[in-house]
Amino acid sequence: RTFWKNIGIMTLIVIVLIIAIQLVLRNYTDHGEEIQVPNLTGMELKNADELCYKKQLTWLIQDSIYNKNLPGGVIIDQYPPAGFRVKKNRKIFLTSSRWYPEMIPMPKVYDMSYRQAKRVIESQGLYIDSLEYEPYFARTYVLKQKYEGIIIDEGTPIEKGAGIVLV
């Protein structure tokens, strides 16, 4: 008889604990309260910040990409997408356009073969715009590197994605 009485009391305690935990979690997680994510694509960061503040959302710039056709500070992409339903204070991850292109140091691509120079240029995010030829005993040997018609030295800052002329 005492055994079954203790089992009954333990079962009652477990049921009360489960119900109490569910109620506390429901309040703590704001169960059923959702906010619709606004469309931030195409907005400037200042306007997006104001809209997110009103909607009780936070934002974080996850990435920035340079695009010549877009002004700097414009939102290109967002996650979660517009229309998605989230809880308040959820972070919205943004990809924005950069004001300036990424600058990299010009690699040394002269005093080496064309094949080797091509690999170095492409690995740095540049491309070969054209080739100029000067008389030299080794036909595929790179003598100089030019950018916008001017000989450019190794280490000079240059826009990533720029075209290089090899001589």
Side-chain angles (χ1 to χ4, degrees):
R1 193 170 227 183
T2 306
F3 174 75
W4 290 111
K5 183 179 171 185
N6 286 335
I7 293 291
I9 291 172
M10 285 191 305
T11 305
L12 187 63
I13 289 173
V14 168
I15 290 172
V16 169
L17 279 176
I18 289 173
I19 292 171
I21 288 172
Q22 284 183 342
L23 290 174
V24 168
L25 282 177
R26 207 173 280 244
N27 276 344
Y28 182 73
T29 61
D30 295 327
H31 184 72
E33 296 179 26
E34 296 176 333
I35 300 169
Q36 188 170 1
V37 176
N39 185 9
L40 303 174
T41 307
M43 281 187 173
E44 291 184 7
L45 289 173
K46 181 181 176 184
N47 298 338
D49 183 44
E50 291 171 3
L51 183 59
C52 284
Y53 181 76
K54 287 178 188 174
K55 293 264 189 178
Q56 294 181 325
L57 298 169
T58 57
W59 57 272
L60 177 71
I61 295 181
Q62 182 179 15
D63 196 8
S64 59
I65 301 169
Y66 179 71
N67 186 338
K68 294 177 188 176
N69 303 325
L70 289 175
V74 173
I75 297 169
I76 299 170
D77 192 22
Q78 72 182 54
Y79 182 82
F84 206 80
R85 303 194 66 74
V86 296
K87 298 201 183 279
K88 68 178 179 178
N89 296 324
R90 166 76 190 264
K91 281 187 184 169
I92 308 297
F93 296 96
L94 305 175
T95 302
S96 70
S97 62
R98 295 178 72 164
W99 282 272
Y100 304 103
E102 183 179 348
M103 301 298 278
I104 60 169
M106 179 64 196
K108 178 184 174 189
V109 293
Y110 55 90
D111 288 337
M112 61 180 68
S113 71
Y114 169 76
R115 284 177 54 191
Q116 192 176 9
K118 181 178 177 183
R119 274 191 236 125
V120 171
I121 285 176
E122 290 174 352
S123 72
Q124 295 295 316
L126 304 170
Y127 71 95
I128 297 175
D129 187 36
S130 62
L131 300 173
E132 293 179 5
Y133 291 96
E134 284 186 8
Y136 195 70
F137 72 93
R139 290 191 64 218
T140 61
Y141 195 75
V142 178
L143 301 171
K144 302 173 193 165
Q145 56 195 19
K146 291 183 178 181
Y147 176 65
E148 295 180 345
I150 302 169
I151 294 174
I152 186 168
D153 294 327
E154 169 188 2
T156 304
I158 187 171
E159 290 181 14
K160 189 171 188 173
I164 305 299
V165 177
L166 298 179
V167 181

